[in-house]
Amino acid sequence: MRVYLVGGAVRDQLLGHPYHEKDYVVVGSTPQKMLDQGYQPVGRDFPVFLHPKTKEEYALARTERKQGQGYHGFEFYTDPSVTLEQDLIRRDLTINAIAQDDAGHLYDPYGGAQDIQNKILRHVSDAFVEDPLRVLRVARFAARYAQYGFVVAEETLALMRTLATSGELECLTPERVWKETSRALMEKHADVYFEVLRQCGALTVLFPEIDALFGVPQRPEYHPEIDCGIHTLMSLQQACQHNYSLDVRFAVLVHDLGKALTPVDVLPRHIMHEQRGIEPVTMLCERFKVPTATKQFALIVCKEHLKCHQAMTLKGGTLWRLLQRLDVLRRPERVIEFIQACECDARGRLGLENRPYPQKDYLLKAMECVRNIKAKDLPSYVKGPDIGEQLIKKRIYELDQLKRSQQET
């Protein structure tokens, strides 16, 4: 029985990238031997065990053979005779096919260390095309390691294109697509994930609503980058740079989906694109079973982001109704996230990445203004059902005062 550290821990150790989990492969053992040593079985498809003390994962060395469609369509074979090289060759990328023994010696039969040095994401073997999930994984790795200058090898992109046109991507479960995408969205360069998917043709298969934005023009005086798809990815870059939450990043990604539905005869204007965006955002969220809170926030950013840009010109009543729709009294954090998403939209434009966004401070003041008005602030003669109505009137009045003060300033 020989144990090797494999996968992400070895890769990130060589790269100098932080890592938290360690995975091991065990060569020359059997499930019974693992159980006899106190390991706890957790694998459903093939033997994976938890170490009795550290609870780290130990998988028996295995080979696999494609039996059906999708990433579940595999038959796995484990036996003490399976070698380390046979186990490593089934992995997706060379940088993930490196093992390390207890003495620190590296086993790198497929050139992963060299690819790390050359900043290349390259498939290990042609068996890559047997698993459609690898298209998403490679795109996610491209997003994670873009900060180091990694790019996808042309021959690997070619195999990803093969998968994109094979129909295999449609076999991926919604939950798995969302899991990979949500993880990619939290990387420092999440925009690279969608760009790589676009390069290999997978974006139009999995996210046609996003793919449709590319090539759609906008008015250059507001959008010097012109292209709606480029604007979307630039806005997402802004959300990543500020390390905003998953909900903010996803909302930024889909906030302009309605622009792909603008009638050709009115381009490059996009009147009512907020309303047109409701249906494609809803469809995308339902297709991938996006969590309810994430979906609801994305929809409100889609519908209301122009109101945020116009906040300083809105009448008190209009601004109050916007804040109400954002649930300002119960969930002030949602208002803050809404402002963050809209600021990313405003700055996700060529040459305007550092433009001032005074609407942010204005809306934060408006939020505090309405939240600080309580029933105790009303005259003592206001009773019963009148309290709610008078609170609204006072909040609208104070918002009008805030606007007047802002204009005078």
Side-chain angles (χ1 to χ4, degrees):
M1 175 174 166
R2 298 177 301 282
V3 178
Y4 301 90
L5 181 68
V6 292
V10 180
R11 175 196 67 226
D12 290 341
Q13 179 179 297
L14 291 174
L15 189 57
H17 187 80
Y19 63 92
H20 306 288
E21 297 181 356
K22 292 182 178 180
D23 295 312
Y24 297 86
V25 66
V26 181
V27 178
S29 187
T30 65
Q32 189 57 53
K33 288 181 180 178
M34 300 296 286
L35 294 173
D36 292 344
Q37 295 184 59
Y39 287 82
Q40 301 172 338
V42 294
R44 291 183 298 176
D45 297 325
F46 47 81
V48 179
F49 301 84
L50 296 182
H51 190 281
K53 293 183 179 179
T54 67
K55 304 305 178 184
E56 292 169 333
E57 286 194 359
Y58 287 68
L60 293 184
R62 65 188 187 269
T63 60
E64 61 189 30
R65 186 174 61 176
K66 183 79 167 177
Q67 292 292 314
Q69 284 191 310
Y71 70 98
H72 281 308
F74 289 90
E75 180 181 90
F76 297 97
Y77 173 74
T78 60
D79 186 85
S81 65
V82 176
T83 66
L84 177 63
E85 289 75 12
Q86 287 175 317
D87 180 272
L88 294 176
I89 199 172
R90 68 176 178 78
R91 297 173 185 265
D92 49 8
L93 297 172
T94 60
I95 66 170
N96 297 329
I98 310 171
Q100 185 181 54
D101 63 18
D102 289 342
H105 180 73
L106 292 181
Y107 296 83
D108 181 23
Y110 306 109
Q114 186 65 48
D115 281 341
I116 288 176
Q117 185 174 341
N118 295 334
K119 308 295 188 289
I120 295 291
L121 300 175
R122 190 193 317 276
H123 63 283
V124 178
S125 73
D126 288 343
F128 179 94
V129 296
E130 295 179 353
D131 186 355
L133 184 63
R134 289 176 170 177
V135 172
L136 298 180
R137 280 175 54 82
V138 171
R140 179 165 60 81
F141 282 125
R144 174 179 296 178
Y145 299 120
Q147 61 183 306
Y148 300 112
F150 274 79
V151 296
V152 183
E154 281 300 322
E155 58 268 33
T156 302
L157 271 175
L159 293 183
M160 293 167 69
R161 292 187 188 102
T162 299
L163 276 168
T165 58
S166 69
E168 285 271 330
L169 292 178
E170 287 90 332
C171 298
L172 294 172
T173 64
E175 294 85 356
R176 193 66 203 205
V177 175
W178 173 247
K179 181 178 180 180
E180 291 294 326
T181 302
S182 60
R183 291 177 69 184
L185 280 168
M186 294 310 296
E187 300 292 353
K188 289 184 177 180
H189 295 275
D191 54 292
V192 173
Y193 174 79
F194 297 97
E195 186 55 46
V196 170
L197 292 182
R198 183 167 174 255
Q199 288 175 15
C200 71
L203 193 65
T204 188
V205 177
L206 296 173
F207 302 98
E209 300 90 350
I210 298 172
D211 188 68
L213 291 170
F214 290 90
V216 178
Q218 302 172 100
R219 295 173 65 179
E221 62 267 37
Y222 298 115
H223 287 274
E225 73 289 346
I226 300 177
D227 189 285
C228 288
I230 293 175
H231 163 63
T232 292
L233 295 189
M234 291 184 70
S235 299
L236 182 55
Q237 286 174 4
Q238 289 287 321
C240 296
Q241 288 172 16
H242 289 88
N243 198 27
Y244 289 150
S245 70
L246 172 63
D247 285 1
V248 171
R249 298 183 192 208
F250 180 70
V252 169
L253 176 70
V254 301
H255 79 281
D256 265 353
L257 292 189
K259 288 184 176 179
L261 302 176
T262 299
V264 176
D265 60 332
V266 301
L267 291 175
R269 303 174 69 197
H270 291 279
I271 300 171
M272 298 294 291
H273 74 274
E274 323 92 89
Q275 295 302 316
R276 290 194 185 95
I278 295 173
E279 183 177 354
V281 172
T282 301
M283 289 174 58
L284 191 155
C285 289
E286 291 180 351
R287 186 166 69 251
F288 294 119
K289 300 182 180 180
V290 174
T292 300
T294 304
K295 171 187 172 182
Q296 290 175 343
F297 182 68
L299 282 169
I300 199 163
V301 171
C302 174
K303 289 187 284 188
E304 307 287 2
H305 63 275
L306 288 190
K307 287 282 197 309
C308 188
H309 302 332
Q310 301 161 352
M312 299 169 72
T313 65
L314 298 179
K315 294 181 179 179
T318 304
L319 183 53
W320 163 243
R321 288 187 290 274
L322 171 64
L323 291 171
Q324 270 191 311
R325 292 192 293 275
L326 293 169
D327 206 3
V328 62
L329 299 181
R330 294 186 304 173
R331 304 185 67 189
E333 71 281 0
R334 262 326 198 201
V335 180
I336 294 172
E337 289 187 317
F338 173 74
I339 298 169
Q340 291 172 345
C342 296
E343 185 177 20
C344 291
D345 171 34
R347 290 179 171 170
R349 312 180 189 208
L350 188 62
L352 302 176
E353 294 86 350
N354 297 309
R355 72 192 299 190
Y357 195 68
Q359 295 91 329
K360 175 180 180 179
D361 289 338
Y362 184 78
L363 272 172
L364 290 175
K365 289 177 182 177
M367 178 179 74
E368 290 305 311
C369 176
V370 299
R371 284 179 56 80
N372 287 336
I373 296 173
K374 311 291 185 182
K376 62 182 178 60
D377 300 319
L378 299 176
S380 58
Y381 59 78
V382 179
K383 304 290 184 182
D386 293 337
I387 294 177
E389 181 180 349
Q390 291 301 314
L391 279 173
I392 291 174
K393 286 183 177 180
K394 183 168 180 59
R395 285 168 179 148
I396 292 174
Y397 172 80
E398 293 298 335
L399 289 175
D400 280 328
Q401 292 298 108
L402 176 64
K403 179 182 176 182
R404 187 173 294 112
S405 174
Q406 182 69 32
Q407 289 174 337
E408 291 174 354
T409 302

